[in-house]
Amino acid sequence: MLRFPNPGSTLSNFVAVYAAAFNRFRGQVVDLDNIVQATVEANLATSSGHMGGEAIARSTRQDRSRDPLYNQLKMYAELFRSLGWLRSTEASALNYTFTLLGEQVVAAGRQWQPLLEETVLGIAYPSHVLDLRGEHYIRPFATILKTMLACNGGLSRDEMIVAPLSASTDRSPDALAALAAKVNALRETPDHIKSALEELKEERGIQINTLRNYTRWPLAVLRDLGWTEKDKEPYRSSKKTFEIHRLTPHGKARALSLLDAVDLRTDQVDSLDFNQKRALSRQAHFSMMERSGFDLASVEAELRADRELVHSALNALQVPIEKPILFSPFQSLSVADSSSIFPTPDASPAERHAQEKLDGIEVGRGSREHLFVAPKYVEAQTDDEDEDLAGLRRELEELVQSTPTLDAAATVFAESRRQNTQTLFYPLVTQLFRLMGFPSDYSRAGVNYQRWDACVWLHDLALPIEIKSPTEELFLSTKAIRQAIENKVILLSRGGLETRHELSTLVVGYQIPNERGDMSMLIDDVHAAFGFKIGVLDLKTLSFLALKAVVEDVSVAEDQLSELKGFLNV
């Protein structure tokens, strides 16, 4: 059975641990103690109830196998290697360098999820990245999703254990059909799955609880990426039901996309000559980046030059040319090959300059870094006696009690408002601003001169707000930017509220688009042409700030909100 380590965190914390290590030690060879240090410095891990240096002191053991932090970060490192974000040096398996792919995950900032999805699907065995126990010739997460498609849209945890995670291969023409048949046979009565688990326990010499522990990280991935949700499935010959992890519409779309992709494995790519391998690897990597929302304009010429070699490589492998390629070079190739094909973040300045357009700098945030603004916190000036806010305040306080972090609470809150129409969403936005200590109100329907949806008052001056409810558009678009410009122009020309040209005009929606999209460029262009500052907040950011105000009595600084240009990046 495939055994995934379980560091015991949410995916947001998982990405934060990698970012902390990358930002602390970028360009260096690191060991596990370095990663522990970076994680503790970022307050992302504790030991014996302590943080910082005291946590490391209390965790460190002469026998490293008994060192809690060391072993927890060892599990993180193993998963980072599987995802292609970290790779072992040729000298030592426990010394690591950061990869270009990992650099791009960090560059994605809050929009890491699409790229994490790609790298989860990029895990395939065997590879030159990990030495794996047993014989496995499989792309595990892709196999899980496709098996779910074939099994009434989902799998239980135990079905996942005895079927896709225990499969030796997914490459034979009938492999998927055999897995689906095996799962469907287990759904006759509760005794069928129980017997299958017992048989696997005896065959592998592993206790059932241990087998189940190996599924914790895969199940967290399926859940936190929004691919599955819990549901109930009936046994065919019993009145009982069992818990199933059912594909969401997003998960089903992902699974269906896999059926139309060319799934390349390491041995196939290794059979090509080096020029073909390099061209195909570049094409596969940057196609993955494009699917994740990165702008590839700066590498289009280089990718075009590779096209003939890519076609010759695909012809040599006898696979279709026109289909999407499922292959992640940083998760498959040897260190020597990936270092030759892609520059490393710790390369010399001369090497990095020579490969500038292919090293991911222009593909990541690049020149748009300035648009992602970290909040500057000050003491909140909130009105605890405002009865209109009592229900929302109570809801946020209860969320804090039931979730591990404020970020998790904000995520749950935002998800609960996913179906909100204008009628519910507009007042909610103003209430969240009020919880942060800023007077706010929304405009009355049918009042033509009030073109803005809402406003925030900073003393006697107003910032207009363009609001997009999730039922209008789930992801904010450039349309919202254009309407925010109209709000500012109308307010300055017709009056109605006291404001000034240099104050921001705000946009609030359910979720911001990819940070490398047209929206960020338009924000810069509008400021360059007209001097208007456009500030953007999504619901999760706004609810996170409201939670900070309720729980910690701090809020974003007034001068920062009044001059916000770009995305407030909590």
Side-chain angles (χ1 to χ4, degrees), residues 6 18 73 90 142 147 242 319 321 368 374 419 481 529 536 547:
N6 175 43
Y18 181 83
L73 271 299
E90 293 183 287
T147 305
F242 59 94
V319 295
I321 290 173
R368 304 296 166 186
Q419 302 301 322
I481 297 292
V536 184
L547 282 158

Side-chain angles (χ1 to χ4, degrees), residues 520-546:
S520 60
M521 290 186 286
L522 186 55
I523 290 171
D524 267 342
D525 291 343
V526 167
H527 186 255
F530 306 109
F532 292 151
K533 298 185 183 80
I534 300 170
V536 184
L537 302 89
D538 63 7
L539 182 59
K540 181 182 174 183
T541 297
L542 195 57
S543 56
F544 180 87
L545 294 171

Side-chain angles (χ1 to χ4, degrees), residues 466-513:
E466 178 64 30
I467 303 176
K468 293 295 181 187
S469 69
T471 52
E472 292 176 85
E473 54 181 39
L474 201 58
F475 292 90
L476 283 168
S477 67
T478 55
K479 179 182 178 182
I481 297 292
R482 293 195 298 270
Q483 291 174 326
I485 300 166
E486 290 177 10
N487 293 342
K488 188 72 171 180
V489 169
I490 291 170
L491 193 57
L492 288 170
S493 62
R494 300 181 189 174
L497 296 173
E498 189 68 28
T499 191
R500 288 204 298 260
H501 186 282
E502 65 271 19
L503 297 180
S504 296
T505 177
L506 301 179
V507 175
V508 175
Y510 185 75
Q511 190 168 339
I512 64 171

Side-chain angles (χ1 to χ4, degrees), residues 91 215 240 270 322 341 357 371 376 475-476 518:
T215 68
K240 293 183 177 181
D270 279 345
E322 68 281 357
I341 294 169
K357 288 188 177 179
L371 292 179
K376 182 171 62 177
F475 292 90
L476 283 168
D518 293 338

Side-chain angles (χ1 to χ4, degrees), residues 262-294:
V262 174
D263 184 352
L264 296 180
R265 301 295 170 89
T266 304
D267 60 340
Q268 293 173 285
V269 177
D270 279 345
S271 70
L272 302 170
D273 69 49
F274 182 74
N275 288 332
Q276 290 176 324
K277 181 189 292 188
R278 178 173 57 191
L280 184 59
S281 295
R282 285 176 171 174
Q283 178 66 43
H285 174 77
F286 285 106
S287 293
M288 183 171 73
M289 300 304 298
E290 187 172 38
R291 290 193 297 270
S292 301
F294 282 67

Side-chain angles (χ1 to χ4, degrees), residues 393-408:
R393 181 187 295 274
R394 187 163 52 251
E395 180 182 356
L396 294 178
E397 289 172 341
E398 289 172 356
L399 272 177
V400 171
Q401 297 299 320
S402 62
T403 53
T405 64
L406 290 187
D407 184 78

Side-chain angles (χ1 to χ4, degrees), residues 318-331:
Q318 299 182 328
V319 295
I321 290 173
E322 68 281 357
K323 291 190 173 184
I325 299 170
L326 184 57
F327 176 74
S328 180
F330 286 99
Q331 298 175 255

Side-chain angles (χ1 to χ4, degrees), residues 32 81 90-91 102 115 131 139 160 165 168 183 186 217 225 295 306 308 353 377 409 426 459 483 492 509 520 538 563:
L32 288 171
R81 289 176 65 209
E90 293 183 287
L115 191 48
D131 294 323
R139 190 178 293 279
M160 203 176 297
L165 291 180
S168 59
V183 170
L186 297 174
W217 192 73
L225 291 180
D295 183 358
D306 280 342
E308 188 174 333
H353 179 73
Y377 293 116
Y426 287 20
H459 299 296
Q483 291 174 326
L492 288 170
S520 60
D538 63 7
E563 298 183 8

